Every structure is written in C-alpha cells, then in structure tokens.
C-alpha cells in the first residue's frame, strides 16, 4: 500500500541508517544534530551542486536540486544532479533539450538516459551506504517518470571523480530493505543502544552519543541533563 505524503522519510536517512542505526535515530527520532569538519565539508559540496544553474552541455541536460519522492517506497528528498540524455540519433530538432524534456511523453522518456548523481565529500566507501542512497533516488525517479534507470553516479570530492553505480537487483533489494527498516525504526521511536566502533571517531554526533559511556541511556536525556546543569549554574 502506498505511503501517505505525511509519512515519507528523507532519502538521506538511509545513509545514516546504514552507517549506524543509533546515529540515524539520534538525528531522525531524537532530532539531535552536531556539525564537525566532515559534515561541514559535505554540506558545502552539496550546496555547490544544488546552487549551480541548470544547463545543457555536450548534448545532455543537467538539472540541479531536483525534488524527488516515492509513495511506494515511502521516501522523499532532493537529488544533487540528474542528467538527461536523449536517445542516440534522435537529437531534438528546432527546439532546446529542455523543451524536448518538457514535451516528451512518459513513453518517450523510457528511451532517454536519465541518471542521478549524488555528491559526497570523501572517497568511495567499502560499504553500500552511498550506493543505496543514489539507488533510492533512482527508485523515486522511476516512479515519478514511469521509466527504468539502470545506473547513476557518485561524485567524490576527495578524488574529484565519478564512480558509476549499477542499479542491479541486489542493490535494489538492499535499498528497499533499508527503507523498510528505516520506517520500522521511526515507528518504534526508540534509539538503539550505543556500541562503540572505530567509525564512531569520525561521527559528528560523538559527543552527544557518547558510545563509550552512555550505553542504553537516551542521548536526549543526557543532553537535557547537561542543559539543565548549564542553566542552573547561570
């Protein structure tokens, strides 16, 4: 059954979920957030991708900051970049590529190459969290446009290169499973216990999570106690 608009969850939360379910719950259940150098650099990269003007280059239309949603998967978000390329040998005649996209029927769009590009600050990761995020964008585009998208790209700021992501059946299944788990986590409204791992050292929420000390206590409780103590000293 399709999700109502009010129940759509952010696509970006999938990346948080696959990195750490506790981090995901701290951000999306407890509404906590903290910046560090890595998140600031990532935000700047996304802003640069979003704020650029849409343009046509080398026979390809570049759309920026495109709003996406899927009622079937229950996700919404914003794609950094979506590339639109017409079928080979059928370049628009006497009209711009933008007009060709606007005038194309859903059936005609099935023959276009449409691929999302997600920007990341670092370099390709060993896990699938980034690939799942861009795959979720593709699932949204497929539902919105009635097309099939076979591949997209991840652009990494550290390497300054794109890495192609093939949306094969295993990645699609993992993305759908992650979306299901995300809805379960949000519906439960509970933050998983902290378990320290080496990756915790790079997490911007480390000081709120306190993975070596706080155990099963709520980070929100800890934050509230710290705030109360701070106010009491004034």
């Amino acid at each position: 059954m399709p999700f109502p608009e009010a129940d759509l969850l952010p696509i970006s939360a999938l990346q948080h979920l696959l990195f750490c379910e506790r981090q995901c719950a701290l951000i999306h259940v407890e509404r906590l957030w903290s910046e560090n150098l890595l998140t600031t650099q990532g935000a700047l990269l996304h802003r640069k991708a979003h704020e650029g003007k849409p343009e046509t280059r080398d026979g390809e239309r570049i759309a920026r900051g495109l709003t996406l949603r899927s009622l079937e998967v229950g996700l919404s978000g914003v794609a950094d970049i979506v590339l639109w390329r017409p079928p080979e040998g059928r370049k628009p005649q006497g009209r711009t590529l933008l007009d060709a996209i606007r005038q194309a029927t859903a059936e005609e769009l099935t023959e276009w190459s449409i691929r999302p590009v997600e920007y990341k600050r670092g370099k390709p990761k060993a896990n699938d969290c980034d690939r799942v995020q861009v795959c979720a964008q593709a699932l949204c585009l497929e539902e919105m446009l009635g097309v099939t998208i076979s591949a997209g790209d991840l652009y990494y700021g550290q390497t300054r290169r794109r890495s192609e992501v093939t949306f094969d059946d295993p990645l699609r299944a993992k993305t759908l499973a992650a979306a299901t788990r995300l809805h379960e986590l949000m519906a439960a409204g509970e933050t998983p216990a902290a378990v320290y791992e080496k990756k915790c050292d790079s997490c911007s929420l480390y000081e709120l999570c306190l993975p070596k000390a706080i155990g099963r206590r709520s980070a929100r409780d800890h934050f509230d106690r710290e705030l109360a103590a701070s106010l009491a000293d004034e």
Side-chain angles (χ1 to χ4, degrees):
M1 179 178 295
F3 288 87
E5 291 273 0
D7 289 348
L8 300 185
L9 298 176
I11 293 173
S12 59
L14 296 177
Q15 202 269 352
H16 301 143
L17 179 84
L18 294 180
F19 176 75
C20 168
E21 288 203 2
R22 179 172 169 83
Q23 185 208 57
C24 184
L26 291 175
I27 295 171
H28 300 285
V29 175
E30 300 199 29
R31 303 291 182 183
L32 297 177
W33 180 248
S34 179
E35 295 280 0
N36 65 7
L37 178 60
L38 302 181
T39 59
T40 301
Q41 290 176 337
L44 289 174
L45 191 64
H46 281 289
R47 189 177 308 161
K48 183 177 179 181
H50 286 192
E51 292 181 348
K53 293 182 179 179
E55 59 182 319
T56 298
R57 187 193 306 166
D58 299 329
E60 196 167 54
R61 185 67 183 175
I62 304 172
R64 302 177 188 275
L66 184 64
T67 300
L68 307 174
R69 74 164 189 180
S70 168
L71 299 181
E72 292 296 329
V73 186
L75 297 172
S76 65
V78 177
D80 288 333
I81 283 178
V82 178
L83 304 176
W84 308 69
R85 182 179 291 277
E88 286 295 330
R90 279 191 269 173
K91 306 296 182 185
Q93 300 295 323
R95 55 180 178 166
T96 66
L97 196 53
L98 176 58
D99 286 338
I101 295 170
R102 286 172 171 166
Q103 296 164 10
T105 65
E107 184 177 356
E108 289 170 340
L109 282 179
T110 61
E111 299 181 44
W112 285 56
S113 168
I114 301 171
R115 52 194 297 151
V117 182
E118 171 70 11
Y119 278 54
K120 295 294 182 185
R121 56 153 295 280
K123 58 184 179 181
K125 301 178 179 67
N127 61 43
D128 279 332
C129 59
D130 293 345
R131 289 186 285 276
V132 162
Q133 187 173 350
V134 74
C135 183
Q137 294 176 8
L139 294 177
C140 291
L141 284 165
E142 288 181 341
E143 183 176 316
M144 293 167 63
L145 301 173
V147 301
T148 298
I149 298 176
S150 59
D153 296 283
L154 289 163
Y155 175 87
Y156 287 95
Q158 186 170 331
T159 61
R160 296 181 179 275
R161 290 185 176 179
R162 286 186 193 172
S163 174
E164 183 173 279
V165 179
T166 300
F167 304 134
D168 55 19
D169 289 342
L171 182 58
R172 288 172 181 269
K174 189 164 190 174
T175 303
L176 293 173
T180 299
R181 177 58 189 147
L182 178 61
H183 278 276
E184 291 173 349
L185 188 69
M186 294 297 291
E190 296 179 356
T191 301
V195 178
Y196 175 77
E197 298 179 58
K198 185 172 177 56
K199 66 183 180 184
C200 297
D201 295 336
S202 64
C203 179
S204 70
L205 300 186
Y206 185 94
E207 295 299 327
L208 295 172
C209 176
L210 297 175
K212 291 182 178 178
I214 201 166
R216 290 181 176 275
R217 288 182 294 160
S218 162
R220 169 62 72 182
D221 291 343
H222 172 76
F223 177 79
D224 290 344
R225 284 194 297 272
E226 291 291 314
L227 178 60
S230 174
L231 292 173
D233 289 339
E234 290 182 351

